[in-house]
Amino acid sequence: MHVRAPRPTPAFVTLIAGALITSGCSAEQDAGSTVAAPRATASNKVAVAPLTREQLRALTFKEGEVPGAHEGGIGVQDPVPEDEQPRFPPVSDSDCQTVRDIRTGEHASAVVLQVFNWKGDIWAGGSTLAAYEDGKARQTFAQLKRALASCRSFEGQSYTGKFKATLTMEQAPRVGDEAVRFREIAPLGPEHPGDRNEEMTLVRTGNTIATFRRLNVGGSSSFPAGLISRQVERLEHAQRP
């Protein structure tokens, strides 16, 4: 099943999405030095059926579980149907396009998305929980790391027109079976001072890949480490035989 990026639903998130370009990817340094090595866990050894969309939704955060979030600001969404997605051509670098596809669960069997709207911060965050058939999450993550090793910069098109973006690798957290972290940066032009800066953390846990995003403009932000750990733990427990 092919799935694509979500359509943001909170009002001010919609405004942000309309004003800013889609994030890009490239690499300033070798991905190998900043990718957390696979760790031996039970989910590496035992084959389990992929989680369904309903199971993924049950593993997302509920109202009151996210410190600092607006009331009603952590909505859970299904992917927008493919025939309702805007049509943009692939970006100029094929490896960067691979990274973009994987972070949205393009080839997963089930995908669920959650938006995080923080108090006192107009820039939202988000997570994508993607489940894969047995063995395919590991293969997909290996493909992701290969793509990150060569992706440097690219050009593409978005809601606001043409854009350019770069990617810098960062230290990955030690969670799940393996993880990577990078930061996508894209200048917005003279009419919007500051760069669009989005942190991306991808974590494989058994047959799932979770992507955590944190957006900022003119600065940098990070997705809360505690929320990443809690979400990964839920995915791990749900896949235990």
Side-chain angles (χ1 to χ4, degrees), residues 21 88-92 100 154-158 161-165:
I21 62 173
F88 297 119
V91 298
S92 59
R100 292 164 66 84
F154 73 92
E155 298 180 2
Q157 294 184 22
S158 71
K162 295 181 179 180
F163 67 93
K164 297 181 180 180

Side-chain angles (χ1 to χ4, degrees), residues 1-3 43 46-53 55-56 98-112 128-144 202-211 235 239:
M1 180 186 74
H2 294 271
V3 294
S43 58
V46 180
V48 295
L51 298 176
T52 65
R53 183 174 296 177
Q55 288 174 314
L56 291 175
T98 295
V99 174
R100 292 164 66 84
D101 290 344
I102 292 173
R103 77 184 191 203
T104 59
E106 180 73 13
H107 300 292
S109 61
V111 178
V112 164
T128 300
L129 308 183
Y132 294 79
E133 298 291 338
D134 187 50
K136 290 187 178 179
R138 185 192 296 271
Q139 296 170 9
T140 299
F141 215 85
Q143 184 182 20
L144 170 67
L202 281 78
V203 183
R204 183 182 71 82
T205 305
N207 291 332
T208 65
I209 295 177
T211 300
L235 291 170
Q239 295 178 86

Side-chain angles (χ1 to χ4, degrees), residues 1-240:
M1 180 186 74
H2 294 271
V3 294
R4 296 185 179 273
R7 178 193 298 137
T9 54
F12 68 88
V13 176
T14 302
L15 291 176
I16 291 169
L20 301 181
I21 62 173
T22 302
S23 59
C25 45
S26 118
E28 296 285 341
Q29 56 185 329
D30 189 342
S33 63
T34 55
V35 175
R39 298 188 293 121
T41 66
S43 58
N44 272 335
K45 302 174 183 178
V46 180
V48 295
L51 298 176
T52 65
R53 183 174 296 177
E54 291 72 21
Q55 288 174 314
L56 291 175
R57 290 182 71 94
L59 296 173
T60 60
F61 293 105
K62 307 302 183 290
E63 194 71 34
E65 291 186 328
V66 180
H70 280 288
E71 183 177 354
I74 56 171
V76 179
Q77 309 166 13
D78 291 332
V80 176
E82 186 173 353
D83 59 359
E84 296 182 20
Q85 282 286 326
R87 299 292 183 179
F88 297 119
V91 298
S92 59
D93 185 285
S94 60
D95 286 322
C96 293
Q97 184 63 50
T98 295
V99 174
R100 292 164 66 84
D101 290 344
I102 292 173
R103 77 184 191 203
T104 59
E106 180 73 13
H107 300 292
S109 61
V111 178
V112 164
L113 310 116
Q114 186 161 29
V115 175
F116 295 87
N117 296 314
W118 316 102
K119 296 176 181 177
D121 191 344
I122 65 171
W123 310 117
S127 67
T128 300
L129 308 183
Y132 294 79
E133 298 291 338
D134 187 50
K136 290 187 178 179
R138 185 192 296 271
Q139 296 170 9
T140 299
F141 215 85
Q143 184 182 20
L144 170 67
K145 289 189 284 188
R146 288 194 297 269
L148 285 172
S150 58
C151 175
R152 297 292 184 271
S153 63
F154 73 92
E155 298 180 2
Q157 294 184 22
S158 71
Y159 294 97
T160 57
K162 295 181 179 180
F163 67 93
K164 297 181 180 180
T166 60
L167 179 150
T168 58
M169 297 301 301
E170 297 189 349
Q171 184 64 47
R174 292 188 60 81
V175 292
D177 295 325
E178 49 188 333
V180 296
R181 174 174 287 164
F182 53 90
R183 197 170 289 274
E184 297 178 352
I185 300 173
L188 295 178
E191 67 278 13
H192 298 290
D195 295 339
R196 186 187 194 283
N197 187 314
E198 191 167 20
E199 179 197 72
M200 298 275 180
T201 303
L202 281 78
V203 183
R204 183 182 71 82
T205 305
N207 291 332
T208 65
I209 295 177
T211 300
F212 304 91
R213 306 175 302 279
R214 190 72 166 92
L215 175 66
N216 203 307
V217 174
S220 62
S221 301
S222 295
F223 199 94
L227 288 182
I228 293 177
S229 296
R230 289 166 59 194
Q231 185 66 85
V232 170
E233 287 174 1
R234 292 182 182 187
L235 291 170
E236 183 176 5
H237 292 162
Q239 295 178 86
R240 287 177 177 170

